[in-house]
Amino acid sequence: MKEQLQLVIEQMRKHVIKNLESIKSNESQIKETLTLAQSNERTNTLNECYKFSKSLLAENNDFINMQVSLMNFSNKYKHVIEDETPVNVAVQSGSNHNNSISRDEYFRLTIEKDIYFDASHPYFGDKDFFNELFFHFQQSENYEMCSELVKYK
């Protein structure tokens, strides 16, 4: 996922640069148009050029804001993105229960924090699984995880 985020950010950066080049080219056209005698055609051309540049600047603003949001997301959830394992991918895709992994195996992976117990977890809606998980963390005095579980529910 990290590579995909970086790829999207890089594509957005290239798009912003392309827009800046278009704005610069448009600026040349504006300078050229300003040398013409004043007329309705000149005014319309200038208005269109300004409108075009303004739209590209607004687009760049949106792209830059999205890049910043993605970078902040990537930094904030770095542990999730970097720790992502093939098991997490298998859990998030497909049906609620992956037939190749047993309930006990899901439990073990969850308590070892190889997969996160969140809305994408196949046993997220299973009250018994939640209670067993909560009891396990309570018995091991991992109150931080107990608190996390309560937040999810």
Side-chain angles (χ1 to χ4, degrees):
M1 183 187 322
K2 183 179 180 181
E3 294 81 21
Q4 292 168 329
L5 283 172
Q6 288 174 338
L7 180 64
V8 168
I9 291 169
E10 180 61 21
Q11 287 173 333
M12 294 178 110
R13 186 187 71 79
K14 287 178 181 178
H15 187 79
V16 167
I17 290 171
K18 184 184 115 216
N19 281 354
L20 289 173
E21 290 169 358
S22 295
I23 291 169
K24 208 169 219 175
S25 173
N26 195 38
E27 188 178 304
S28 297
Q29 184 179 355
I30 291 171
K31 286 180 182 178
E32 188 178 309
T33 304
L34 285 171
T35 62
L36 301 174
Q38 196 166 1
S39 67
N40 284 341
E41 184 180 332
R42 176 187 149 183
T43 303
N44 290 338
T45 301
L46 288 172
N47 285 338
E48 288 301 314
C49 287
Y50 289 135
K51 184 178 172 182
F52 178 70
S53 288
K54 187 177 179 179
S55 71
L56 290 180
L57 288 171
E59 186 176 296
N60 277 1
N61 187 46
D62 291 341
F63 272 72
I64 290 168
N65 286 335
M66 182 58 74
Q67 287 174 4
V68 170
S69 294
L70 288 173
M71 287 186 288
N72 288 340
F73 175 86
S74 180
N75 288 332
K76 183 176 182 179
Y77 297 104
K78 186 181 213 174
H79 65 282
V80 175
I81 294 168
E82 289 176 352
D83 292 344
E84 188 171 304
T85 62
V87 173
N88 267 346
V89 174
V91 168
Q92 292 173 356
S93 63
S95 65
N96 280 350
H97 303 286
N98 187 331
N99 292 335
S100 63
I101 302 175
S102 70
R103 184 180 191 279
D104 291 336
E105 185 66 10
Y106 272 118
F107 186 81
R108 185 189 65 75
L109 291 169
T110 305
I111 62 173
E112 291 176 0
K113 300 178 186 168
D114 288 333
I115 58 175
Y116 295 97
F117 188 75
D118 58 12
S120 65
H121 193 283
Y123 291 95
F124 186 73
D126 186 325
K127 288 181 183 180
D128 292 333
F129 189 91
F130 175 84
N131 290 337
E132 289 173 38
L133 199 57
F134 190 83
F135 182 75
H136 169 80
F137 287 124
Q138 191 177 33
Q139 292 300 309
S140 62
E141 297 182 0
N142 188 341
Y143 300 116
E144 185 177 308
M145 282 305 298
C146 289
S147 175
E148 288 295 315
L149 288 173
V150 170
K151 278 187 215 175
Y152 281 127
K153 284 296 181 178

